Amino acid sequence: GQQVMQIPQYQHVQEGEDFTTYCNSSTTLSNIQWYKQRPGGHPVFLIQLVKSGEVKKQKRLTFQFGEAKKNSSLHITATQTTDVGTYFCAGNSGGGADGLTFGKGTHLIIQP
Amino acid sequence: KAGVTQTPRYLIKTRGQQVTLSCSPISGHRSVSWYQQTPGQGLQFLFEYFSETQRNKGNFPGRFSGRQFSNSRSEMNVSTLELGDSALYLCASRILAGAAYEQYFGPGTRLTVT
């Protein structure tokens, strides 16, 4: 079955440093979604990427979808304490299957 | 617009018992998916319902079942509880079925099996 690997599992950064999490799929994806889960909270939708090579920005967050549509990344510039949480990617391989396969997430820990 | 609601928020059950969890999607959303979240396995897809029909099912044993009502509200049931079923159970709704649609998660039900 489809597998989505996400690295790193944990990332410690100093406030103000950049952060990147990477997502790799065993199969070509029709789309990929990113979610953020704050400690004690539930996943919150951030963005969806659909096109090969697509790049989208949300303020300090930059999302990329690989040319082969098998990998994606989320980059945060100049992290702030409000960025703390776990970032998940979730992919769908299409072909009529509607289920999303989630990566295990990257826990972002920020030291002030 | 109210978000996804789940009841109860916390639950403690004993091994061998059964449990029913409830989810009310965002008004107008017709698709409801259920996920199990544990520290070890992460977020795992259980099943999705749309228009009272199960559309997709994850790799979970038959002890896990669900249903959806005509008002889109959904329930999931776990029978013969095992210790390993302790987890956060999340419900997510989207306007239509289909992976292209973003999901809105509820706060979850924290199930502890003793």
Side-chain angles (χ1 to χ4, degrees), chain B:
Chain B
K1 203 183 249 189
V4 178
T5 57
Q6 292 186 245
T7 56
R9 294 292 311 278
Y10 302 91
L11 207 48
I12 300 175
K13 289 287 189 177
T14 305
R15 240 177 346 171
Q17 289 185 312
Q18 74 163 15
V19 66
T20 299
L21 312 181
S22 181
C23 171
S24 292
I26 291 172
S27 177
H29 284 197
R30 294 170 57 193
S31 163
V32 173
S33 296
W34 288 89
Y35 293 85
Q36 181 195 67
Q37 186 174 35
T38 59
Q41 298 300 317
L43 267 165
Q44 292 186 289
F45 172 74
L46 280 156
F47 28 65
E48 180 185 17
Y49 286 88
F50 178 75
S51 293
E52 303 176 64
T53 302
Q54 188 180 87
R55 284 181 60 89
N56 296 287
K57 190 176 190 306
N59 191 23
F60 277 82
R63 300 185 297 107
F64 292 81
S65 63
R67 60 178 175 169
Q68 187 180 34
F69 302 95
S70 58
N71 62 358
S72 295
R73 190 176 70 84
S74 177
E75 290 181 347
M76 68 162 281
N77 183 277
V78 188
S79 62
T80 320
L81 285 165
E82 300 177 0
L83 295 178
D85 297 333
S86 294
L88 179 67
Y89 289 88
L90 291 159
C91 159
S93 78
R94 50 189 176 186
I95 194 162
L96 292 172
Y101 299 96
E102 64 194 70
Q103 294 186 105
Y104 295 84
F105 283 85
T109 295
R110 174 76 61 186
L111 172 64
T112 302
V113 182
T114 62

Side-chain angles (χ1 to χ4, degrees), chain A residues 5-55:
Chain A
M5 307 298 292
Q6 200 172 347
I7 57 169
Q9 187 177 356
Y10 293 91
Q11 183 75 59
H12 295 252
V13 300
Q14 295 282 340
E15 188 176 7
E17 291 182 336
D18 293 355
F19 159 78
T20 304
T21 173
Y22 300 91
C23 189
N24 289 287
S25 169
S26 57
T27 60
T28 301
L29 301 170
S30 60
N31 64 292
I32 193 159
Q33 297 178 356
W34 285 90
Y35 292 79
K36 175 184 178 182
Q37 185 173 20
R38 293 181 186 273
H42 56 274
V44 173
F45 176 83
L46 293 176
I47 208 159
Q48 174 170 266
L49 305 171
V50 178
K51 299 176 185 175
S52 168
E54 188 170 15
V55 178

Side-chain angles (χ1 to χ4, degrees), chain A residues 28-95:
Chain A
T28 301
L29 301 170
S30 60
N31 64 292
I32 193 159
Q33 297 178 356
W34 285 90
Y35 292 79
K36 175 184 178 182
Q37 185 173 20
R38 293 181 186 273
H42 56 274
V44 173
F45 176 83
L46 293 176
I47 208 159
Q48 174 170 266
L49 305 171
V50 178
K51 299 176 185 175
S52 168
E54 188 170 15
V55 178
K56 286 189 176 180
K57 293 191 176 186
Q58 287 180 350
K59 297 183 181 178
R60 295 177 295 103
L61 279 61
T62 301
F63 303 84
Q64 294 191 28
F65 201 9
E67 294 289 341
K69 300 184 75 174
K70 295 182 75 172
N71 59 76
S72 181
S73 65
L74 157 59
H75 179 82
I76 302 178
T77 304
T79 54
Q80 300 174 359
T81 54
T82 53
D83 295 326
V84 164
T86 303
Y87 293 85
F88 294 95
C89 61
N92 173 262
S93 57

